[in-house]
Amino acid sequence: MKRNIYVFFAIFLFFLAIPLTNALDTSLKVYDYADLLTDGEEATLKSEVQKYIDAYDMDMVLLTTSENPYSDPYDYAADFYDENGFGKNQYKDGVLFIIDRTQGYNDVYMLTTGEAIRVYDDNRIDSILDDIAEVKEEGYYQMFHAFIESSSFYASKGVAPSNKDTHLTKNGDLAYNRKFPWFPFGLISIIVSSVIVGILVAKNKMVKQATSASLYLEKGSVNYTRKEDRFLHTNTSSVYIGSSSSSSGGSGRVGGSSTRSSHSGTSHGGGGRRM
Amino acid sequence: MAGGTLDHKCPNCDAVLKFNPHGQNWVCEYCQSKFTREEIDAQEAKKGHVLNEETEADKLEKDAEGMDVYSCPNCGAQIVADENTSATFCVYCRSTAILKNKLVGKFNPAYVIPFQKTKEDAIEAFKKIGKGRPFMPKLFSSKQNIEDMKGVYIPFWLYDFGVSGALEADAKRISSWTSGNYRYTKTDTYRAYREGNMTFHKIPVDGSTRFNDDMMNSIEPFDYAGLQTFTHAYLSGFLAEKYDVDSDAARKGAEVRAKNTATSMLQESIHGYDAVSVLKADHNLELLKNEYVLLPVWMLNIQYQGKIYMFAMNGQTGKLIGDIPIDKKKVAIWWIGITLLLFGILTVIWLIGGLL
């Protein structure tokens, strides 16, 4: 009985601990740690973000920081997204936009996860960043606003055409759809079965002209009186085969989206630049 | 010894003696007495048959169609045979008639390989011919289709050749390697000269136009260790033919085979190259020996759907050959079936690959 009480107490403590460790309120969606926005701007942006989330069934997070321990805003953004459990549905679908002031510049980065990787290919991310860059003189609020507007525009168009033949794997990685190889499979099957049937058909033909007398050659009677090989000429030809380049590990490009793995192992797409 | 035919009679009861392939001896059909080759030879010597003496008088006459007519030593009935038949049966009493004048002089065979396979062996072999041949029509190999079968001693010429040959060939050594962005291929060409000599023994050529040459090629090889000096006693119970293609005419076939093999022997001695192409080959053949022999063959005529198919079985080794008709429906079913099966296997592999 005493033991049961301990177990019950442990379970109670465990559930109590969840809200303590997961302290961040993921419903806020706007996290202005670098204090670049007014409270009013934050509230406006939050309602715009909520519209996006409701309309496209993808999460959206806006983030500013001036204390990024990494050299790349990607790392901070990806960790923030993964560790706090943002994202909707099975693949944690969603986008995060960060303005990183750590280096003293506006290092912006757009992070995509899950289905958002398929929606925002590299070209679309570039266009979104262009739209943001256009309004960078007008302040941070305008930059976030441009991000939401441009992202909504592309989300309404659905999956990027360059990613039509892709899908997300169990781990949330982007992969090409496997197309059933009708033609090569059919061709292989027909060729192999034709060869097998041909061999079996040939078995019914047993009457053949003999062309060799090797059965009647006296063993050991072959006596070579001349074995001479004279060198005639040599010839060297060359064919251009092109340079072989190897791709780097950890990141890759499938369809139209470049992806890389975060510290937690989750695949993210995205792109950023200094403004 | 009447009318130019020979027969072998049992010294005990005067019934006909027949050669027994399984025992390699002679058995009296009536009293079951058995006789060895030595006993038969002794009996022949006592009777004083002189086979090598050609006596035209033995042949009675020619009939209107030019067939030779003999009288049966057993019942006296007339036996009609064409000019190439040297052993046959009396149509009335079924006794063997060995036609002496077809086996004397230049037609006297030096050796014979006696039958080792019986009629029953040939029937058994034919019934099993569909094994490993799925496209044979289902009822083809049934015993009922055997319309006619006969054990025939077929005349063969055996040739011994000494061959001296010379061969010229282009030989290429090809190596390739990659350097930078280029793949290099280096081809060294040599001219290979080969000369040599070799000996062939007993290349067989069938000496009868009645039998298809390719079929006679296809039942090779005979085991020449089984060659016996000829005595007509081996023919009792079988049919026999004499040659109608003489030694010089038949030789060509053996020469072509010897030359082909000489070329490949010389070519095989060109080692260490990636590609060899023969430019020319010249061979001088010297005929060392030439023998006339009788070799045992079971000939089977198979009637299937109104057509006759010929089969031949080596009467010594039991090798049975012949072209079997092809059941096109079975071919189509197999072809479609194997194609679908392979496609299915590939699909399953593909699906499993998708799960991993």
Side-chain angles (χ1 to χ4, degrees), chain A residues 178 193-194 203-204 206-208 210-213 216 218 221 223-226 228-230 232-235 237 239 241, chain B residues 133 181 183 185 187-189 191 193-197 199 201 217-218 220 257 260-261 265 273 322-324 335 339 350:
Chain A
R178 277 157 45 96
S193 79
S194 300
K203 283 192 140 192
N204 282 22
M206 286 181 270
V207 177
K208 282 167 206 132
T211 54
S212 154
Y216 307 101
E218 185 188 322
S221 79
N223 172 34
Y224 294 102
T225 52
R226 185 184 183 192
E228 190 185 339
D229 295 353
R230 280 190 214 155
L232 287 187
H233 53 80
T234 184
N235 171 44
S237 64
V239 180
I241 52 170
Chain B
R133 297 188 172 92
N181 291 335
R183 177 143 199 93
T185 306
T187 309
D188 293 332
T189 307
R191 178 68 44 85
Y193 299 88
R194 292 292 182 277
E195 288 173 20
N197 41 57
T199 312
H201 288 297
N217 282 164
S218 303
E220 286 178 33
R257 292 174 67 177
N260 285 342
T261 300
M265 288 310 293
Y273 296 96
D323 289 342
I324 299 172
W335 188 74
T339 304
W350 187 83

Short mmCIF file of all heavy atoms in Angstrom, two decimals, chain A residues 178 193-194 203-204 206-208 210-213 216 218 221 223-226 228-230 232-235 237 239 241, chain B residues 133 181 183 185 187-189 191 193-197 199 201 217-218 220 257 260-261 265 273 322-324 335 339 350:
data_model
loop_
_atom_site.label_atom_id
_atom_site.label_comp_id
_atom_site.label_asym_id
_atom_site.label_seq_id
_atom_site.Cartn_x
_atom_site.Cartn_y
_atom_site.Cartn_z
N ARG A 178 7.66 8.33 -55.10
CA ARG A 178 8.12 7.21 -55.92
C ARG A 178 7.08 6.98 -56.99
O ARG A 178 5.92 6.75 -56.71
CB ARG A 178 8.28 5.97 -55.05
CG ARG A 178 9.63 5.95 -54.34
CD ARG A 178 9.63 5.09 -53.12
NE ARG A 178 9.00 3.80 -53.30
CZ ARG A 178 9.64 2.69 -53.58
NH1 ARG A 178 10.95 2.70 -53.77
NH2 ARG A 178 9.01 1.55 -53.69
N SER A 193 11.30 -13.00 -69.79
CA SER A 193 10.42 -14.13 -70.08
C SER A 193 10.62 -14.60 -71.52
O SER A 193 10.53 -15.79 -71.79
CB SER A 193 8.96 -13.79 -69.81
OG SER A 193 8.41 -13.03 -70.86
N SER A 194 10.92 -13.68 -72.45
CA SER A 194 11.19 -14.10 -73.83
C SER A 194 12.43 -14.98 -73.89
O SER A 194 12.47 -15.97 -74.63
CB SER A 194 11.38 -12.88 -74.74
OG SER A 194 10.22 -12.08 -74.72
N LYS A 203 14.72 -26.23 -76.84
CA LYS A 203 14.92 -27.61 -76.36
C LYS A 203 14.18 -28.63 -77.22
O LYS A 203 14.52 -29.80 -77.21
CB LYS A 203 14.44 -27.73 -74.91
CG LYS A 203 15.40 -27.14 -73.91
CD LYS A 203 15.02 -27.54 -72.52
CE LYS A 203 16.26 -27.86 -71.71
NZ LYS A 203 15.92 -28.52 -70.46
N ASN A 204 13.15 -28.19 -77.93
CA ASN A 204 12.41 -29.13 -78.77
C ASN A 204 13.11 -29.38 -80.11
O ASN A 204 12.71 -30.25 -80.84
CB ASN A 204 10.99 -28.60 -79.02
CG ASN A 204 10.09 -28.84 -77.84
OD1 ASN A 204 10.57 -29.00 -76.71
ND2 ASN A 204 8.80 -28.86 -78.06
N MET A 206 16.27 -30.74 -81.59
CA MET A 206 17.45 -31.51 -81.19
C MET A 206 18.33 -31.89 -82.37
O MET A 206 19.46 -32.30 -82.19
CB MET A 206 17.00 -32.78 -80.46
CG MET A 206 16.49 -32.52 -79.06
SD MET A 206 16.02 -34.05 -78.25
CE MET A 206 14.31 -34.16 -78.71
N VAL A 207 17.77 -31.78 -83.59
CA VAL A 207 18.55 -32.17 -84.76
C VAL A 207 19.36 -30.98 -85.25
O VAL A 207 18.80 -29.97 -85.64
CB VAL A 207 17.62 -32.69 -85.87
CG1 VAL A 207 18.41 -33.03 -87.12
CG2 VAL A 207 16.85 -33.90 -85.39
N LYS A 208 20.66 -31.10 -85.13
CA LYS A 208 21.54 -29.99 -85.54
C LYS A 208 22.72 -30.53 -86.32
O LYS A 208 23.22 -31.63 -86.05
CB LYS A 208 22.06 -29.26 -84.29
CG LYS A 208 21.04 -28.32 -83.69
CD LYS A 208 21.50 -27.88 -82.31
CE LYS A 208 20.30 -27.50 -81.45
NZ LYS A 208 20.34 -28.10 -80.13
N ALA A 210 26.46 -31.00 -87.22
CA ALA A 210 27.70 -30.95 -86.44
C ALA A 210 28.73 -30.14 -87.23
O ALA A 210 28.90 -30.34 -88.43
CB ALA A 210 28.23 -32.35 -86.18
N THR A 211 29.37 -29.20 -86.55
CA THR A 211 30.38 -28.39 -87.24
C THR A 211 31.76 -28.60 -86.65
O THR A 211 32.74 -28.15 -87.21
CB THR A 211 30.03 -26.89 -87.13
OG1 THR A 211 29.87 -26.57 -85.75
CG2 THR A 211 28.75 -26.57 -87.87
N SER A 212 31.82 -29.27 -85.53
CA SER A 212 33.10 -29.43 -84.85
C SER A 212 33.48 -30.90 -84.78
O SER A 212 32.63 -31.79 -84.78
CB SER A 212 33.00 -28.85 -83.43
OG SER A 212 33.92 -29.47 -82.58
N ALA A 213 34.77 -31.17 -84.75
CA ALA A 213 35.26 -32.53 -84.60
C ALA A 213 36.05 -32.67 -83.31
O ALA A 213 36.89 -33.55 -83.18
CB ALA A 213 36.11 -32.92 -85.81
N TYR A 216 36.71 -35.89 -81.56
CA TYR A 216 37.54 -36.90 -82.21
C TYR A 216 39.01 -36.48 -82.27
O TYR A 216 39.82 -37.14 -82.89
CB TYR A 216 36.99 -37.19 -83.61
CG TYR A 216 35.53 -37.53 -83.54
CD1 TYR A 216 34.55 -36.60 -83.85
CD2 TYR A 216 35.11 -38.78 -83.06
CE1 TYR A 216 33.20 -36.90 -83.72
CE2 TYR A 216 33.77 -39.09 -82.93
CZ TYR A 216 32.81 -38.14 -83.26
OH TYR A 216 31.49 -38.45 -83.11
N GLU A 218 42.59 -36.25 -81.02
CA GLU A 218 43.39 -37.08 -80.12
C GLU A 218 44.00 -36.19 -79.06
O GLU A 218 44.67 -35.20 -79.36
CB GLU A 218 44.50 -37.80 -80.91
CG GLU A 218 45.28 -38.77 -80.04
CD GLU A 218 46.50 -39.34 -80.78
OE1 GLU A 218 46.38 -39.60 -81.99
OE2 GLU A 218 47.55 -39.48 -80.13
N SER A 221 47.65 -34.65 -78.98
CA SER A 221 48.26 -34.69 -80.31
C SER A 221 48.53 -33.30 -80.84
O SER A 221 49.22 -33.13 -81.84
CB SER A 221 47.34 -35.44 -81.28
OG SER A 221 46.29 -34.59 -81.70
N ASN A 223 50.29 -30.13 -81.44
CA ASN A 223 51.69 -29.74 -81.30
C ASN A 223 51.88 -28.42 -82.02
O ASN A 223 51.74 -28.35 -83.24
CB ASN A 223 52.57 -30.85 -81.91
CG ASN A 223 54.01 -30.43 -81.97
OD1 ASN A 223 54.49 -29.71 -81.10
ND2 ASN A 223 54.70 -30.87 -83.03
N TYR A 224 52.15 -27.36 -81.24
CA TYR A 224 52.30 -26.04 -81.85
C TYR A 224 53.72 -25.87 -82.35
O TYR A 224 54.67 -26.07 -81.59
CB TYR A 224 51.95 -24.95 -80.83
CG TYR A 224 50.49 -24.97 -80.42
CD1 TYR A 224 50.11 -25.51 -79.20
CD2 TYR A 224 49.52 -24.48 -81.28
CE1 TYR A 224 48.77 -25.55 -78.84
CE2 TYR A 224 48.17 -24.51 -80.91
CZ TYR A 224 47.81 -25.05 -79.70
OH TYR A 224 46.49 -25.09 -79.35
N THR A 225 53.86 -25.53 -83.60
CA THR A 225 55.19 -25.34 -84.17
C THR A 225 55.55 -23.86 -84.30
O THR A 225 56.69 -23.51 -84.53
CB THR A 225 55.28 -26.01 -85.57
OG1 THR A 225 54.18 -25.53 -86.36
CG2 THR A 225 55.21 -27.51 -85.44
N ARG A 226 54.57 -22.99 -84.16
CA ARG A 226 54.86 -21.55 -84.20
C ARG A 226 53.86 -20.81 -83.33
O ARG A 226 52.65 -21.00 -83.47
CB ARG A 226 54.76 -21.03 -85.64
CG ARG A 226 55.16 -19.57 -85.78
CD ARG A 226 54.93 -19.10 -87.19
NE ARG A 226 55.37 -17.72 -87.36
CZ ARG A 226 55.08 -16.98 -88.43
NH1 ARG A 226 54.36 -17.49 -89.41
NH2 ARG A 226 55.49 -15.73 -88.52
N GLU A 228 53.76 -16.90 -82.38
CA GLU A 228 54.46 -15.63 -82.49
C GLU A 228 53.44 -14.50 -82.49
O GLU A 228 52.47 -14.52 -83.23
CB GLU A 228 55.26 -15.62 -83.81
CG GLU A 228 56.20 -14.45 -83.91
CD GLU A 228 56.88 -14.42 -85.28
OE1 GLU A 228 56.94 -15.46 -85.95
OE2 GLU A 228 57.32 -13.33 -85.66
N ASP A 229 53.68 -13.52 -81.62
CA ASP A 229 52.80 -12.35 -81.57
C ASP A 229 53.63 -11.12 -81.92
O ASP A 229 54.56 -10.78 -81.19
CB ASP A 229 52.19 -12.18 -80.17
CG ASP A 229 51.27 -13.33 -79.82
OD1 ASP A 229 50.99 -14.17 -80.70
OD2 ASP A 229 50.82 -13.40 -78.65
N ARG A 230 53.31 -10.49 -83.01
CA ARG A 230 54.05 -9.29 -83.42
C ARG A 230 53.24 -8.04 -83.10
O ARG A 230 52.08 -7.95 -83.47
CB ARG A 230 54.32 -9.33 -84.92
CG ARG A 230 55.49 -10.20 -85.29
CD ARG A 230 55.84 -10.00 -86.75
NE ARG A 230 56.32 -11.23 -87.33
CZ ARG A 230 56.26 -11.51 -88.63
NH1 ARG A 230 55.71 -10.66 -89.46
NH2 ARG A 230 56.74 -12.65 -89.08
N LEU A 232 51.81 -4.58 -83.64
CA LEU A 232 51.51 -3.81 -84.85
C LEU A 232 51.44 -2.31 -84.54
O LEU A 232 52.22 -1.53 -85.06
CB LEU A 232 50.18 -4.25 -85.46
CG LEU A 232 50.12 -5.60 -86.17
CD1 LEU A 232 48.75 -5.77 -86.85
CD2 LEU A 232 51.23 -5.74 -87.20
N HIS A 233 50.52 -1.90 -83.69
CA HIS A 233 50.37 -0.48 -83.39
C HIS A 233 49.59 -0.30 -82.11
O HIS A 233 48.94 -1.23 -81.61
CB HIS A 233 49.71 0.28 -84.54
CG HIS A 233 48.41 -0.32 -84.98
ND1 HIS A 233 47.23 -0.11 -84.33
CD2 HIS A 233 48.12 -1.14 -86.02
CE1 HIS A 233 46.26 -0.75 -84.94
NE2 HIS A 233 46.78 -1.41 -85.97
N THR A 234 49.64 0.94 -81.61
CA THR A 234 48.85 1.26 -80.42
C THR A 234 48.05 2.52 -80.68
O THR A 234 48.42 3.33 -81.54
CB THR A 234 49.76 1.43 -79.18
OG1 THR A 234 48.92 1.66 -78.04
CG2 THR A 234 50.71 2.62 -79.35
N ASN A 235 46.97 2.65 -79.99
CA ASN A 235 46.07 3.77 -80.22
C ASN A 235 45.40 4.13 -78.89
O ASN A 235 44.91 3.26 -78.18
CB ASN A 235 45.02 3.37 -81.26
CG ASN A 235 43.93 4.39 -81.40
OD1 ASN A 235 44.21 5.59 -81.45
ND2 ASN A 235 42.68 3.94 -81.43
N SER A 237 42.58 6.67 -77.12
CA SER A 237 41.52 7.66 -77.34
C SER A 237 41.03 8.14 -75.99
O SER A 237 41.18 7.47 -74.98
CB SER A 237 40.38 7.03 -78.13
OG SER A 237 39.81 5.99 -77.37
N VAL A 239 37.74 10.28 -73.88
CA VAL A 239 36.35 10.76 -73.89
C VAL A 239 36.16 11.65 -72.68
O VAL A 239 36.56 11.30 -71.57
CB VAL A 239 35.37 9.56 -73.84
CG1 VAL A 239 33.93 10.08 -73.86
CG2 VAL A 239 35.60 8.60 -74.97
N ILE A 241 34.33 13.03 -69.69
CA ILE A 241 33.26 12.47 -68.87
C ILE A 241 32.69 13.47 -67.89
O ILE A 241 31.80 13.15 -67.11
CB ILE A 241 33.74 11.21 -68.10
CG1 ILE A 241 35.04 11.52 -67.35
CG2 ILE A 241 33.93 10.05 -69.05
CD1 ILE A 241 35.45 10.43 -66.38
N ARG B 133 10.85 -30.50 -71.31
CA ARG B 133 10.42 -29.82 -72.54
C ARG B 133 8.94 -29.49 -72.43
O ARG B 133 8.09 -30.21 -72.94
CB ARG B 133 10.68 -30.71 -73.76
CG ARG B 133 12.16 -30.98 -73.95
CD ARG B 133 12.43 -31.71 -75.26
NE ARG B 133 13.86 -31.79 -75.49
CZ ARG B 133 14.62 -32.79 -75.09
NH1 ARG B 133 14.09 -33.82 -74.47
NH2 ARG B 133 15.92 -32.78 -75.33
N ASN B 181 39.10 14.87 -66.10
CA ASN B 181 37.74 14.74 -66.59
C ASN B 181 37.67 13.88 -67.85
O ASN B 181 36.68 13.91 -68.56
CB ASN B 181 37.16 16.13 -66.90
CG ASN B 181 36.94 16.91 -65.62
OD1 ASN B 181 36.77 16.34 -64.56
ND2 ASN B 181 36.97 18.22 -65.74
N ARG B 183 38.30 10.03 -69.83
CA ARG B 183 38.47 8.59 -69.76
C ARG B 183 39.30 8.18 -70.97
O ARG B 183 38.94 8.46 -72.11
CB ARG B 183 37.11 7.90 -69.78
CG ARG B 183 37.21 6.39 -69.78
CD ARG B 183 36.10 5.74 -68.94
NE ARG B 183 36.48 4.39 -68.59
CZ ARG B 183 37.09 4.06 -67.46
NH1 ARG B 183 37.38 4.99 -66.58
NH2 ARG B 183 37.42 2.81 -67.20
N THR B 185 41.25 5.30 -73.35
CA THR B 185 41.21 3.89 -73.76
C THR B 185 42.39 3.64 -74.68
O THR B 185 42.52 4.28 -75.72
CB THR B 185 39.90 3.57 -74.49
OG1 THR B 185 38.80 3.95 -73.65
CG2 THR B 185 39.81 2.09 -74.80
N THR B 187 44.46 0.94 -76.96
CA THR B 187 44.32 -0.34 -77.66
C THR B 187 45.65 -0.69 -78.32
O THR B 187 46.13 0.03 -79.19
CB THR B 187 43.22 -0.24 -78.74
OG1 THR B 187 42.04 0.28 -78.14
CG2 THR B 187 42.93 -1.59 -79.35
N ASP B 188 46.24 -1.79 -77.86
CA ASP B 188 47.47 -2.30 -78.48
C ASP B 188 47.08 -3.45 -79.40
O ASP B 188 46.42 -4.39 -78.99
CB ASP B 188 48.44 -2.83 -77.42
CG ASP B 188 48.97 -1.71 -76.54
OD1 ASP B 188 49.04 -0.56 -77.03
OD2 ASP B 188 49.29 -1.97 -75.37
N THR B 189 47.49 -3.35 -80.66
CA THR B 189 47.12 -4.38 -81.63
C THR B 189 48.35 -5.22 -82.00
O THR B 189 49.42 -4.68 -82.27
CB THR B 189 46.52 -3.75 -82.89
OG1 THR B 189 45.45 -2.88 -82.49
CG2 THR B 189 45.98 -4.80 -83.83
N ARG B 191 49.66 -8.84 -84.22
CA ARG B 191 49.34 -9.87 -85.21
C ARG B 191 49.86 -11.18 -84.66
O ARG B 191 51.06 -11.31 -84.38
CB ARG B 191 50.01 -9.52 -86.56
CG ARG B 191 49.82 -10.52 -87.68
CD ARG B 191 48.37 -10.60 -88.20
NE ARG B 191 47.71 -9.32 -88.40
CZ ARG B 191 47.81 -8.58 -89.52
NH1 ARG B 191 48.52 -8.99 -90.53
NH2 ARG B 191 47.16 -7.43 -89.61
N TYR B 193 50.55 -15.18 -84.96
CA TYR B 193 50.76 -16.27 -85.92
C TYR B 193 50.80 -17.58 -85.16
O TYR B 193 51.49 -17.69 -84.15
CB TYR B 193 52.07 -16.10 -86.68
CG TYR B 193 52.14 -14.82 -87.48
CD1 TYR B 193 52.60 -13.64 -86.91
CD2 TYR B 193 51.74 -14.81 -88.82
CE1 TYR B 193 52.66 -12.46 -87.63
CE2 TYR B 193 51.79 -13.62 -89.55
CZ TYR B 193 52.25 -12.45 -88.95
OH TYR B 193 52.31 -11.29 -89.68
N ARG B 194 50.02 -18.55 -85.59
CA ARG B 194 50.01 -19.86 -84.95
C ARG B 194 50.12 -20.94 -86.02
O ARG B 194 49.40 -20.90 -87.02
CB ARG B 194 48.71 -20.08 -84.16
CG ARG B 194 48.56 -19.20 -82.93
CD ARG B 194 49.57 -19.55 -81.85
NE ARG B 194 49.39 -18.73 -80.68
CZ ARG B 194 49.89 -17.50 -80.52
NH1 ARG B 194 50.60 -16.95 -81.49
NH2 ARG B 194 49.69 -16.83 -79.41
N GLU B 195 51.01 -21.88 -85.76
CA GLU B 195 51.08 -23.05 -86.62
C GLU B 195 51.15 -24.28 -85.74
O GLU B 195 51.69 -24.22 -84.64
CB GLU B 195 52.30 -22.98 -87.56
CG GLU B 195 52.13 -21.94 -88.65
CD GLU B 195 53.39 -21.73 -89.49
OE1 GLU B 195 54.25 -22.63 -89.49
OE2 GLU B 195 53.49 -20.67 -90.12
N GLY B 196 50.60 -25.37 -86.23
CA GLY B 196 50.64 -26.57 -85.40
C GLY B 196 50.02 -27.74 -86.14
O GLY B 196 49.43 -27.59 -87.20
N ASN B 197 50.20 -28.92 -85.58
CA ASN B 197 49.55 -30.08 -86.16
C ASN B 197 48.89 -30.92 -85.09
O ASN B 197 49.22 -30.82 -83.91
CB ASN B 197 50.53 -30.90 -87.00
CG ASN B 197 51.88 -31.00 -86.34
OD1 ASN B 197 51.98 -31.46 -85.21
ND2 ASN B 197 52.93 -30.53 -87.02
N THR B 199 46.00 -34.61 -84.59
CA THR B 199 45.46 -35.82 -85.19
C THR B 199 44.01 -36.03 -84.76
O THR B 199 43.68 -35.84 -83.60
CB THR B 199 46.30 -37.05 -84.74
OG1 THR B 199 47.67 -36.73 -84.92
CG2 THR B 199 45.96 -38.26 -85.56
N HIS B 201 40.77 -38.84 -84.85
CA HIS B 201 40.47 -40.25 -85.02
C HIS B 201 38.98 -40.48 -85.20
O HIS B 201 38.18 -40.02 -84.41
CB HIS B 201 40.93 -41.05 -83.80
CG HIS B 201 42.42 -41.18 -83.72
ND1 HIS B 201 43.16 -41.83 -84.68
CD2 HIS B 201 43.30 -40.73 -82.81
CE1 HIS B 201 44.43 -41.78 -84.35
NE2 HIS B 201 44.55 -41.10 -83.22
N ASN B 217 24.42 -36.80 -87.34
CA ASN B 217 25.34 -35.99 -86.53
C ASN B 217 24.86 -35.90 -85.09
O ASN B 217 25.64 -35.93 -84.15
CB ASN B 217 25.43 -34.56 -87.07
CG ASN B 217 26.31 -34.45 -88.32
OD1 ASN B 217 26.24 -33.47 -89.02
ND2 ASN B 217 27.13 -35.44 -88.58
N SER B 218 23.55 -35.76 -84.94
CA SER B 218 23.00 -35.41 -83.63
C SER B 218 22.98 -36.58 -82.65
O SER B 218 22.88 -36.35 -81.45
CB SER B 218 21.59 -34.84 -83.78
OG SER B 218 21.60 -33.72 -84.64
N GLU B 220 25.52 -38.56 -82.34
CA GLU B 220 26.89 -38.75 -81.89
C GLU B 220 26.98 -38.36 -80.42
O GLU B 220 26.16 -37.58 -79.95
CB GLU B 220 27.83 -37.84 -82.70
CG GLU B 220 28.08 -38.32 -84.11
CD GLU B 220 28.98 -37.34 -84.87
OE1 GLU B 220 29.87 -36.73 -84.23
OE2 GLU B 220 28.80 -37.20 -86.08
N ARG B 257 34.66 -30.48 -90.59
CA ARG B 257 34.65 -30.52 -89.13
C ARG B 257 36.06 -30.49 -88.57
O ARG B 257 36.33 -29.79 -87.58
CB ARG B 257 33.90 -31.77 -88.65
CG ARG B 257 32.42 -31.73 -88.96
CD ARG B 257 31.72 -33.03 -88.60
NE ARG B 257 31.70 -33.27 -87.16
CZ ARG B 257 31.09 -34.31 -86.60
NH1 ARG B 257 30.46 -35.19 -87.35
NH2 ARG B 257 31.10 -34.46 -85.28
N ASN B 260 37.47 -26.92 -88.91
CA ASN B 260 36.89 -26.00 -87.93
C ASN B 260 37.54 -26.18 -86.56
O ASN B 260 37.85 -25.20 -85.87
CB ASN B 260 35.38 -26.25 -87.79
CG ASN B 260 34.60 -25.72 -88.98
OD1 ASN B 260 35.11 -24.89 -89.73
ND2 ASN B 260 33.39 -26.20 -89.16
N THR B 261 37.70 -27.44 -86.17
CA THR B 261 38.28 -27.69 -84.85
C THR B 261 39.76 -27.30 -84.83
O THR B 261 40.25 -26.75 -83.84
CB THR B 261 38.09 -29.18 -84.48
OG1 THR B 261 36.70 -29.45 -84.45
CG2 THR B 261 38.69 -29.49 -83.12
N MET B 265 41.43 -24.74 -82.23
CA MET B 265 42.57 -25.13 -81.39
C MET B 265 43.70 -24.11 -81.50
O MET B 265 44.32 -23.73 -80.51
CB MET B 265 43.09 -26.52 -81.79
CG MET B 265 42.20 -27.68 -81.41
SD MET B 265 41.64 -27.67 -79.70
CE MET B 265 43.17 -27.95 -78.84
N TYR B 273 44.79 -11.68 -74.42
CA TYR B 273 44.24 -10.54 -75.16
C TYR B 273 42.76 -10.38 -74.82
O TYR B 273 42.12 -11.33 -74.35
CB TYR B 273 44.41 -10.75 -76.66
CG TYR B 273 45.86 -10.78 -77.08
CD1 TYR B 273 46.52 -11.98 -77.22
CD2 TYR B 273 46.55 -9.59 -77.30
CE1 TYR B 273 47.86 -12.01 -77.57
CE2 TYR B 273 47.88 -9.61 -77.66
CZ TYR B 273 48.54 -10.83 -77.79
OH TYR B 273 49.85 -10.84 -78.14
N GLY B 322 15.45 -35.85 -82.15
CA GLY B 322 14.38 -35.63 -83.11
C GLY B 322 13.75 -34.30 -82.81
O GLY B 322 13.85 -33.81 -81.68
N ASP B 323 13.14 -33.69 -83.80
CA ASP B 323 12.51 -32.40 -83.56
C ASP B 323 11.08 -32.61 -83.09
O ASP B 323 10.29 -33.28 -83.76
CB ASP B 323 12.55 -31.54 -84.82
CG ASP B 323 13.98 -31.06 -85.08
OD1 ASP B 323 14.79 -31.12 -84.14
OD2 ASP B 323 14.26 -30.66 -86.23
N ILE B 324 10.76 -32.04 -81.94
CA ILE B 324 9.45 -32.21 -81.33
C ILE B 324 8.58 -31.02 -81.72
O ILE B 324 9.04 -29.88 -81.67
CB ILE B 324 9.59 -32.28 -79.78
CG1 ILE B 324 10.45 -33.48 -79.41
CG2 ILE B 324 8.23 -32.36 -79.12
CD1 ILE B 324 10.81 -33.53 -77.94
N TRP B 335 4.62 -17.71 -71.75
CA TRP B 335 5.23 -16.40 -71.96
C TRP B 335 4.48 -15.33 -71.16
O TRP B 335 5.09 -14.54 -70.44
CB TRP B 335 5.22 -16.07 -73.46
CG TRP B 335 5.98 -14.84 -73.80
CD1 TRP B 335 7.34 -14.70 -73.83
CD2 TRP B 335 5.43 -13.57 -74.14
NE1 TRP B 335 7.67 -13.42 -74.17
CE2 TRP B 335 6.52 -12.70 -74.36
CE3 TRP B 335 4.14 -13.07 -74.27
CZ2 TRP B 335 6.35 -11.37 -74.71
CZ3 TRP B 335 3.97 -11.73 -74.62
CH2 TRP B 335 5.07 -10.91 -74.84
N THR B 339 5.94 -13.49 -67.78
CA THR B 339 6.00 -12.02 -67.81
C THR B 339 5.27 -11.42 -66.61
O THR B 339 5.80 -10.56 -65.90
CB THR B 339 5.41 -11.48 -69.12
OG1 THR B 339 6.11 -12.08 -70.22
CG2 THR B 339 5.53 -9.97 -69.21
N TRP B 350 9.53 -3.50 -55.29
CA TRP B 350 9.39 -2.03 -55.29
C TRP B 350 8.60 -1.57 -54.08
O TRP B 350 8.95 -0.59 -53.42
CB TRP B 350 8.72 -1.60 -56.59
CG TRP B 350 8.67 -0.13 -56.78
CD1 TRP B 350 9.67 0.67 -57.28
CD2 TRP B 350 7.56 0.74 -56.48
NE1 TRP B 350 9.25 1.97 -57.31
CE2 TRP B 350 7.97 2.05 -56.83
CE3 TRP B 350 6.30 0.54 -55.97
CZ2 TRP B 350 7.15 3.14 -56.68
CZ3 TRP B 350 5.47 1.63 -55.81
CH2 TRP B 350 5.89 2.93 -56.16
#
